[in-house]
Amino acid sequence: MVHFCGLLTLQREPVPLKSISVSVNIYEFVAGVSATLNYENEEKVPLEAFFVFPMDEDSAVYSFEALVDGKKIVAELQDKMKARTNYEKAISQGHQAFLLEGDSSSRDVFSCNVGNLQPGSKAAVTLKYVQELPLEADGALRFVLPAVLNPRYQFSGSSKDSCLNVKTPIVPVEDLPYTLSMVATIDSQHGIEKVQSNCPLSPTEYLGEDKTSAQVSLAAGHKFDRDVELLIYYSEVHTPSVVLEMGMPNMKPGHLMGDPSAMVSFYPNIPEDQPSNTCGEFIFLMDRSGSMQSPMSSQDTSQLRIQAAKETLILLLKSLPIGCYFNIYGFGSSYEACFPESVKYTQQTMEEALGRVKLMQADLGGTEILAPLQNIYRGPSIPGHPLQLFVFTDGEVTGTFSVIKEVRINRQKHRCFSFGIGEGASTSLIKGIARASGGTSEFITGKDRMQSKALRTLKRSLQPVVEDVSLSWHLPPGLSAKMLSPEQTVIFRGQRLIIYAQLTGRMPAAETTEVCLKYTLQGKTFEDKVTFPLQPKPDVNLTIHRLAAKSLLQTKDMGLRETPASDKKDALNLSLESGVISSFTAFIAINKELNKPVQGPLAHRDIPRPILLGASAPLKIKCQSGFRKALHSDRPPSASQPRGELMCYKAKTFQMDDYSLCGLISHKDQHSPGFGENHLVQLIYHQNANGSWDLNEDLAKVLGMSLEEIMAAHPAELVDSSGWATILAVIWLHDNGKDLKCEWELLERKAVAWMRAHAGSTMPSVVKAAITFLKSSVDPAIFAF
């Protein structure tokens, strides 16, 4: 690659974007972000620069401005079509103009146009946004600055005006010409215990002795090979809270931005219950696009995504309750179903599925998820077994709004639990489908284990549903609360609930009030209360108001083409009133003082973006058949096609092979899954569907003993060989897999339940004999006699 002026695009033109600097202010559970893109035109002709970048789906972008050679130009939020027209008109008239808009196909991709940047001129373009921050399972607050924009697969019928259609130059991360710097300031009355990151940081600097304020910064030389993630640990995160914010001083009361707004945060202490033993239809929808062959993280030594996916599916299959129904789909440019329809979970069906998981490869090309979703939803419901859909994808897909719309249409018949794999996964897709169906979303990056997050979610899905969720306000006379957030119908154990409300009426001075969250669980009523003063605080950025507007927009704004006509006007008006960008609006700034006639057309410069190892998949698809029928078509499957037939939706070309994920595998295939010498995975792989283990060479290998030794120690007068094997396996798990207990906890429960029914009154004696034989220090109480 030839280098001039730092780096050239693929056409060997200098790159005008020189650096990106980000300032983050985190206060309690909300982040305010200011990101500045610094441009410089080193050429002899005026330029128009085009830059595509990712942003979190939950971000509420409310400000856009440019500083050009010392002059500040503040952008105006306009109807998107009007803003585009005004931009083109300004450029043609020789004005300098800036345009910021979201992509037409997804809420987490933005583009920035810098038009008529004169030779030698510098421009600093700044956008500001706010977002609420999610909590991890260990209580950490998670902030992510998206720095990776993966290629998004273009399916048939996708929007032609998507900014992702632009052939932006792609270069290796080490050759990217612009740099990224970030400084984050954190303030919390709860006290800041520690700050961790997946990227090198400067040492945490505490700004006070009480550790309520801290500052960290990204170490120099960051490469765009991963999103920047901060994990912030407060001393207390479970305390409910209410934040009141004053409205805009010049806005009339009765409007969203004029009245005070409240952000209510609850973290209900929902007691854990034993999971259901029979109910549920579980469908696992696994991404098998070419990019799943990439490592889980940027480290070459990390596990491949497809490898982690196979282990995850084994764990999920082993952890399912007896009597439920299940199926597995693999998808890419085509899709494949393991069974013609969901099957009852038995030893036979579990073994058949495991055999197919063994052969699973990242060999289905691009990432098209809409067709398999439609096929799943066409199937009949199984009485007494509500559908639970688990979606795993690295999110390199366009048509996000179409997918979310399909999930929303079918929200009454299922819950969707979604997992974004690797850097650059679409937050719009992952969060959107979970939100639309009342499920939850997880992101798996860096050193995160897909297995742990998936099993935690499965455990959550098996818990009884929290019902009758309601919020009640105890306000003084003359004051009322109008709910702005969509009605919450489900709360999962370990889930935080954030609700926005608009307070209208007379605000009394120096008075406290109370808000109460009520819900029922298995016939019992629970409630959480929080008392707070009615003293709204001013905030120049109107953070709570912007977040409330974003929450409302997420329920109404389904993209330019997918939003119902009845919601389009509301979404547009809400966006313009609140100043929060939407699918129907864009920010435009025009520097009318620069009025030099353009000599000929502007030189167009697309800013290059980094390419990650394995980030883009070839479009040639290997479609492999193993079912009774394969349907090849240039169109998506129609609604008339029966559910479960193996369907390959053709993107480019297909070649047939005689093996596949769905190839018919012998039910008696008990070979190892091919994951090397991971004894934990090996042990789990050989567990039976009912929770037991067989006493054989496979178990002996994991225990590190000979089969003869194990059989010689078997107290045959107390229990049969399967009971002996199962007790030994459970004890081995506690001795050797304690750090990963969250991954085998459900299958251990199944094993212990089987043992209780199988061994009866002899169980204490069998456990004592097994502990002695294995020389273990495990507490016999784990079997809860």
Side-chain angles (χ1 to χ4, degrees):
M1 184 170 289
V2 183
H3 290 255
F4 301 89
C5 302
L7 177 80
L8 306 184
T9 66
L10 297 186
Q11 289 75 37
R12 297 191 176 185
E13 298 107 356
V15 176
L17 178 62
K18 300 303 177 184
S19 65
I20 303 173
S21 57
V22 180
S23 174
V24 183
N25 288 288
I26 297 173
Y27 177 69
E28 303 299 358
F29 305 108
V30 173
V33 182
S34 176
T36 300
L37 312 176
N38 296 293
Y39 292 87
E40 182 177 359
N41 183 3
E42 299 176 334
E43 300 186 58
K44 297 180 179 179
V45 294
L47 299 179
E48 179 184 30
F50 180 75
F51 183 44
V52 180
F53 56 93
M55 191 173 293
D56 192 278
E57 138 87 6
D58 291 330
S59 301
V61 181
Y62 67 90
S63 175
F64 183 59
E65 60 186 38
L67 186 66
V68 184
D69 298 327
K71 177 178 174 57
K72 183 177 180 180
I73 312 158
V74 178
E76 177 185 352
L77 189 63
Q78 297 180 355
D79 177 284
K80 180 178 282 190
M81 298 301 107
K82 178 183 175 182
R84 287 178 176 176
T85 300
N86 289 340
Y87 174 81
E88 296 295 339
K89 182 179 179 181
I91 294 299
S92 66
Q93 292 176 348
H95 299 314
Q96 193 169 55
F98 305 84
L99 181 70
L100 177 74
E101 60 180 324
D103 182 56
S104 60
S105 298
S106 182
R107 271 196 289 243
D108 67 340
V109 179
F110 281 73
S111 62
C112 178
N113 291 62
V114 176
N116 207 356
L117 188 62
Q118 295 295 303
S121 183
K122 295 182 179 180
V125 180
T126 300
L127 62 96
K128 296 180 181 180
Y129 63 90
V130 290
Q131 68 178 109
E132 58 188 51
L133 301 181
L135 285 171
E136 295 288 281
D138 62 355
L141 201 66
R142 185 175 185 263
F143 169 77
V144 175
L145 178 70
V148 175
L149 176 59
N150 284 334
R152 302 287 172 92
Y153 174 72
Q154 306 288 307
F155 71 91
S156 59
S158 60
S159 174
K160 297 297 186 292
D161 60 352
S162 169
C163 63
L164 294 165
N165 287 324
V166 177
K167 302 302 181 184
T168 308
I170 299 176
V171 298
V173 290
E174 61 270 16
D175 289 332
L176 211 63
Y178 46 90
T179 60
L180 172 67
S181 61
M182 185 189 81
V183 177
T185 303
I186 306 158
D187 292 287
S188 172
Q189 61 183 354
H190 299 296
I192 304 162
E193 289 186 350
K194 59 182 176 179
V195 181
Q196 296 178 342
S197 177
N198 64 331
C199 299
L201 295 177
S202 63
T204 302
E205 179 184 355
Y206 288 100
L207 305 180
E209 295 182 1
D210 55 359
K211 290 191 174 183
T212 57
S213 183
Q215 189 174 86
V216 295
S217 58
L218 194 62
H222 173 79
K223 294 294 184 183
F224 287 72
D225 60 347
R226 70 193 76 176
D227 296 336
V228 180
E229 178 183 83
L230 296 180
L231 295 176
I232 302 137
Y233 292 83
Y234 292 155
S235 300
E236 297 178 20
V237 294
H238 296 280
T239 307
S241 64
V242 177
V243 179
L244 285 183
E245 181 181 87
M246 291 177 60
M248 296 178 70
N250 300 325
M251 182 74 70
K252 292 182 180 179
H255 293 272
L256 169 62
M257 303 305 289
D259 289 328
S261 284
M263 182 175 77
V264 185
S265 176
F266 279 108
Y267 200 124
N269 186 22
I270 300 172
E272 183 177 359
D273 192 66
Q274 289 298 314
S276 167
N277 290 323
T278 57
C279 293
E281 177 189 7
F282 299 89
I283 295 183
F284 305 108
L285 187 53
M286 183 62 71
D287 193 339
R288 285 177 52 197
S289 62
S291 54
M292 287 290 288
Q293 195 62 31
S294 307
M296 286 294 296
S297 73
S298 56
Q299 300 174 1
D300 293 337
T301 57
S302 68
Q303 190 178 34
L304 296 182
R305 296 176 189 177
I306 191 65
Q307 202 78 351
K310 292 165 78 168
E311 286 193 16
T312 301
L313 281 175
I314 287 177
L315 282 164
L316 288 168
L317 287 171
K318 294 293 185 177
S319 301
L320 290 177
I322 287 288
C324 73
Y325 288 75
F326 79 100
N327 205 349
I328 300 173
Y329 279 70
F331 72 93
S333 300
S334 60
Y335 66 90
E336 300 176 352
C338 272
F339 302 100
E341 59 185 18
S342 291
V343 295
K344 196 165 186 178
Y345 180 69
T346 64
Q347 183 68 22
Q348 177 178 319
T349 56
M350 183 195 73
E351 288 180 6
E352 190 171 342
L354 288 174
R356 294 165 184 175
V357 169
K358 285 168 52 180
L359 299 182
M360 190 171 71
Q361 301 295 329
D363 56 2
L364 291 183
T367 311
E368 187 162 335
I369 193 173
L370 186 59
L373 276 176
Q374 290 171 334
N375 188 53
I376 290 168
Y377 293 145
R378 279 196 296 268
S381 299
I382 302 174
H385 294 272
L387 175 59
Q388 313 261 29
L389 181 61
F390 288 68
V391 178
F392 298 83
T393 178
D394 54 17
E396 299 175 15
V397 59
T398 53
T400 298
F401 289 122
S402 298
V403 175
I404 295 173
K405 180 182 179 182
E406 187 69 25
V407 173
R408 176 175 288 181
I409 290 172
N410 293 277
R411 66 185 180 275
Q412 297 299 328
K413 64 165 64 174
H414 84 301
R415 291 187 300 190
C416 181
F417 301 92
S418 54
F419 302 83
I421 303 169
E423 311 296 339
S426 170
T427 62
S428 185
L429 176 70
I430 302 304
K431 292 183 178 182
I433 60 178
R435 183 187 296 114
S437 63
T440 60
S441 59
E442 295 274 8
F443 289 88
I444 305 158
T445 59
K447 296 180 180 180
D448 292 341
R449 282 180 60 83
M450 187 189 306
Q451 300 88 330
S452 298
K453 293 199 170 186
L455 267 294
R456 183 170 70 235
T457 300
L458 176 62
K459 183 179 177 182
R460 181 180 288 167
S461 75
L462 291 169
Q463 290 287 310
V465 176
V466 172
E467 300 174 307
D468 302 327
V469 179
S470 65
L471 195 72
S472 58
W473 298 78
H474 304 285
L475 299 172
L479 188 64
S480 61
K482 176 185 176 182
M483 302 302 294
L484 299 175
S485 299
E487 182 180 354
Q488 190 88 3
T489 56
V490 175
I491 304 176
F492 295 97
R493 187 173 184 271
Q495 186 178 25
R496 188 179 56 160
L497 181 66
I498 292 181
I499 301 164
Y500 296 98
Q502 177 181 346
L503 300 185
T504 58
R506 184 179 60 84
M507 186 72 67
E511 187 170 337
T512 60
T513 191
E514 182 182 83
V515 62
C516 177
L517 175 74
K518 289 185 179 181
Y519 54 93
T520 60
L521 178 65
Q522 294 186 311
K524 295 181 181 179
T525 300
F526 297 86
E527 63 178 42
D528 282 0
K529 297 180 180 179
V530 58
T531 301
F532 61 97
L534 284 171
Q535 297 173 357
K537 301 290 193 300
D539 180 352
V540 67
N541 295 323
L542 294 166
T543 301
I544 305 303
H545 286 75
R546 313 278 194 200
L547 290 174
K550 179 67 175 181
S551 178
L552 269 176
L553 281 169
Q554 285 175 326
T555 66
K556 295 179 178 293
D557 180 2
M558 294 302 296
L560 281 170
R561 291 162 186 80
E562 302 294 341
T563 304
S566 58
D567 287 337
K568 281 187 177 180
K569 184 177 179 181
D570 289 343
L572 175 61
N573 291 337
L574 176 61
S575 176
L576 293 174
E577 179 189 338
S578 64
V580 173
I581 199 169
S582 71
S583 297
F584 308 100
T585 53
F587 279 105
I588 180 169
I590 300 174
N591 181 9
K592 294 184 178 180
E593 291 185 9
L594 179 65
N595 195 11
K596 300 177 182 178
V598 178
Q599 301 299 319
L602 284 175
H604 186 85
R605 300 290 179 261
D606 291 323
I607 307 301
R609 52 189 171 91
I611 184 171
L612 302 182
L613 177 64
S616 56
L619 286 179
K620 184 174 182 182
I621 310 303
K622 178 184 285 187
C623 178
Q624 302 162 336
S625 173
F627 261 23
R628 297 169 289 138
K629 186 175 182 183
L631 303 178
H632 302 286
S633 170
D634 289 316
R635 303 179 306 278
S638 70
S640 63
Q641 291 170 337
R643 181 191 191 195
E645 289 186 341
L646 177 63
M647 300 174 223
C648 295
Y649 169 31
K650 183 164 63 176
K652 284 288 183 181
T653 59
F654 290 85
Q655 66 183 58
M656 299 302 297
D657 205 336
D658 59 359
Y659 65 96
S660 74
L661 166 64
C662 297
L664 295 176
I665 307 298
S666 167
H667 292 173
K668 298 187 180 300
D669 184 359
Q670 285 288 316
H671 296 297
S672 67
F675 297 141
E677 295 300 314
N678 186 334
H679 285 175
L680 176 62
V681 175
Q682 298 286 341
L683 180 68
I684 291 170
Y685 184 82
H686 293 294
Q687 187 187 31
N688 295 318
N690 62 9
S692 68
W693 275 267
D694 295 327
L695 187 56
N696 53 30
E697 290 286 357
D698 293 319
L699 178 66
K701 182 179 179 181
V702 173
L703 297 180
M705 300 178 179
S706 69
L707 183 58
E708 290 74 19
E709 285 181 89
I710 299 172
M711 293 178 67
H714 172 210
E717 72 283 0
L718 298 176
V719 72
D720 63 16
S721 61
S722 291
W724 179 238
T726 302
I727 291 286
L728 294 176
V730 172
I731 293 172
W732 187 94
L733 283 172
H734 280 271
D735 276 335
N736 298 277
K738 284 184 287 190
D739 292 342
L740 296 175
K741 184 177 180 181
C742 62
E743 297 182 14
W744 49 260
E745 186 176 11
L746 286 177
L747 60 87
E748 181 217 14
R749 287 183 184 180
K750 195 159 57 168
V752 171
W754 180 87
M755 273 302 303
R756 286 185 196 145
H758 192 71
S761 60
T762 66
M763 191 167 169
S765 300
V766 178
V767 170
K768 183 177 180 181
I771 289 175
T772 301
F773 173 62
L774 293 177
K775 298 178 181 178
S776 171
S777 58
V778 166
D779 186 350
I782 63 172
F783 292 92
F785 308 126

